Amino acid sequence: MKEEQNNPITTELAKQNVTDAVIAKLKKDFLPLKIKGVEDREGYKAVKAARLQCRDVRVLAEKVCKKGREEAIKTQKEWLAKEKEVVAQISEVESYLKKQEDDIDAQVEARKIRAERLLKLPGRKEQMIGIEKYLGELSDEDIMRFDDAKWNEIILIAKNKKIIEFEEKERIQKNQERQEILANRTNLLMLAGAKIKVINGVRTFEKGIHRVEEDRIIELQPEAFECEKEIFEKEAKSAPYPGSTIGQYPKTPSESYKTPVQEEVKETSDEEKLWNYANALEKVVWPGLKSKEAAETFEKAQSKLKEVLTILRS
């Protein structure tokens, strides 16, 4: 601690005789002291007396400093309170001015963004061509409201909806075409004498030893189907022949073709024919009607069809 005449803290400590000189004397007189051992009673007493003297000077120094510190803390609190008061008043004015500044900055930025999106508007409208129905009603302002990331997301979603709808229409159309092909070919094969049977849950056309599944009938090309129909037309009910033909195969690997002596050919009963006819009617699919009137007519027909199916299967 340096004794400076103009230092109020040093001055207050000096008034209580806590000075650099006093501290230097304590170090000079007491740091050399040593207790030589347990038997050194005089040395022990000297060390203890020196410690107590140091303690008194320390306590006095703490007391002086604490008193001065309390006054400093009071002054500090007053400074902090005044700072808070002044800053709050100035900040009120500053915030008012900054709000106006920010509003103008926001308007400038909005104009800049709008100008950029006006340039992009023709391109965005071009992107909408062909997918308008999946986007809904969008005004120019609506279109310009989106940033690039959001706009690209909206366009992608609309395109996906179009693809899904197209694929669904294509699936329905293909299914309808398959059903029409099946219905037409079923009539031709039955005219050729084929019978419809269900084997292991699969509809199968049979005549004599010749057998072909329904799915294969649908998949055959026209020329291949004509060959298949000719086989059914030529197949003898009472005299089946062994050999290979298109679609001809035994039910299991161990099953071989049988002669009339081994297996009697059974005619399909009228009951089974009615049942097969009912099954064929039940496979009619939704024809993809668009008008409300046509849909209502179809629903009425379906209701009547249920009654017909009940009669056929009774």
Side-chain angles (χ1 to χ4, degrees):
M1 183 195 309
K2 291 184 178 180
E3 294 185 284
E4 298 176 1
Q5 293 180 354
N6 297 327
N7 190 324
I9 297 174
T10 302
T11 301
E12 287 298 320
L13 287 169
K15 288 178 182 179
Q16 301 298 324
N17 199 31
V18 180
T19 64
D20 285 342
V22 172
I23 295 171
K25 189 174 185 308
L26 291 175
K27 290 181 178 180
K28 179 181 178 183
D29 293 345
F30 299 147
L31 285 178
L33 295 178
K34 274 190 179 180
I35 302 174
K36 297 178 181 179
V38 177
E39 303 299 331
D40 185 7
R41 301 303 299 170
E42 292 301 322
Y44 179 84
K45 288 178 181 180
V47 167
K48 183 175 182 180
R51 179 182 64 78
L52 292 175
Q53 187 177 342
C54 288
R55 181 200 64 184
D56 292 341
V57 176
R58 173 182 57 79
V59 170
L60 182 59
E62 289 175 345
K63 184 177 179 181
V64 173
C65 290
K66 182 177 181 182
K67 184 179 179 181
R69 190 166 66 248
E70 287 174 351
E71 186 64 29
I73 290 173
K74 180 183 176 183
T75 303
Q76 181 189 37
K77 288 181 178 178
E78 290 174 353
W79 275 108
L80 289 172
K82 194 62 177 177
E83 176 189 355
K84 185 176 180 181
E85 176 189 344
V86 172
V87 168
Q89 293 184 54
I90 297 172
S91 294
E92 180 183 355
V93 179
E94 184 183 3
S95 297
Y96 166 75
L97 298 173
K98 187 174 188 306
K99 183 179 184 303
Q100 294 189 64
E101 185 182 346
D102 290 345
D103 287 345
I104 296 301
D105 288 344
Q107 291 179 43
V108 171
E109 182 63 20
R111 288 182 180 181
K112 178 183 175 183
I113 292 173
R114 179 176 175 79
E116 291 174 351
R117 292 182 182 174
L118 272 171
L119 292 175
K120 294 177 181 179
L121 183 60
R124 289 187 173 185
K125 284 187 171 183
E126 189 174 343
Q127 286 180 291
M128 295 170 60
I129 296 174
I131 55 174
E132 295 90 345
K133 64 179 287 189
Y134 310 100
L135 292 168
E137 293 294 331
L138 288 177
S139 66
D140 288 356
E141 292 298 324
D142 292 331
I143 297 170
M144 291 190 293
R145 190 174 68 248
F146 304 108
D147 60 24
D148 288 344
K150 186 62 179 177
W151 178 253
N152 290 335
E153 179 185 346
I154 289 171
I155 292 296
L156 181 61
I157 291 173
K159 287 182 177 179
N160 286 338
K161 286 181 179 179
K162 181 178 180 179
I163 291 171
I164 291 171
E165 182 179 281
F166 174 78
E167 290 177 345
E168 179 62 15
K169 285 183 178 179
E170 192 175 53
R171 184 191 67 78
I172 292 173
Q173 183 179 351
K174 285 183 179 180
N175 185 58
Q176 185 175 350
E177 290 173 354
R178 284 172 61 87
Q179 292 301 323
E180 290 174 356
I181 291 172
L182 178 62
N184 180 56
R185 292 183 175 182
T186 296
N187 290 334
L188 291 173
L189 292 182
M190 293 186 75
L191 288 174
K195 298 180 178 64
I196 299 176
K197 293 186 178 181
V198 178
I199 301 176
N200 294 330
V202 178
R203 278 167 53 96
T204 305
F205 296 91
E206 289 189 358
K207 183 179 180 183
I209 62 171
H210 190 61
R211 177 190 304 164
V212 63
E213 292 181 356
E214 181 179 84
D215 287 345
R216 178 169 169 75
I217 286 297
I218 299 175
E219 293 168 1
L220 289 173
Q221 293 297 319
E223 297 81 2
F225 174 73
E226 285 300 319
C227 294
E228 195 71 46
K229 183 166 70 73
E230 289 178 8
I231 293 173
F232 276 106
E233 289 172 345
K234 295 177 181 178
E235 184 71 15
K237 294 181 182 179
S238 58
Y241 60 87
S244 298
T245 60
I246 299 175
Q248 179 180 344
Y249 52 87
K251 184 176 177 181
T252 64
S254 59
E255 182 180 355
S256 58
Y257 298 108
K258 299 178 180 180
T259 64
V261 177
Q262 294 173 306
E263 179 181 67
E264 181 181 356
V265 177
K266 291 179 64 179
E267 287 285 347
T268 304
S269 66
D270 288 344
E271 182 180 353
E272 186 176 357
K273 289 177 181 178
L274 289 174
W275 186 270
N276 290 337
Y277 179 61
N279 288 340
L281 288 176
E282 201 169 28
K283 283 184 172 290
V284 175
V285 297
W286 169 253
L289 303 173
K290 294 183 178 179
S291 69
K292 181 179 179 182
E293 294 77 7
E296 290 176 351
T297 301
F298 183 80
E299 288 180 4
K300 290 179 182 178
Q302 286 291 92
S303 178
K304 293 294 183 183
L305 180 59
K306 290 180 181 178
E307 296 178 13
V308 173
L309 293 175
T310 301
I311 295 171
L312 291 171
R313 289 168 174 163
S314 63

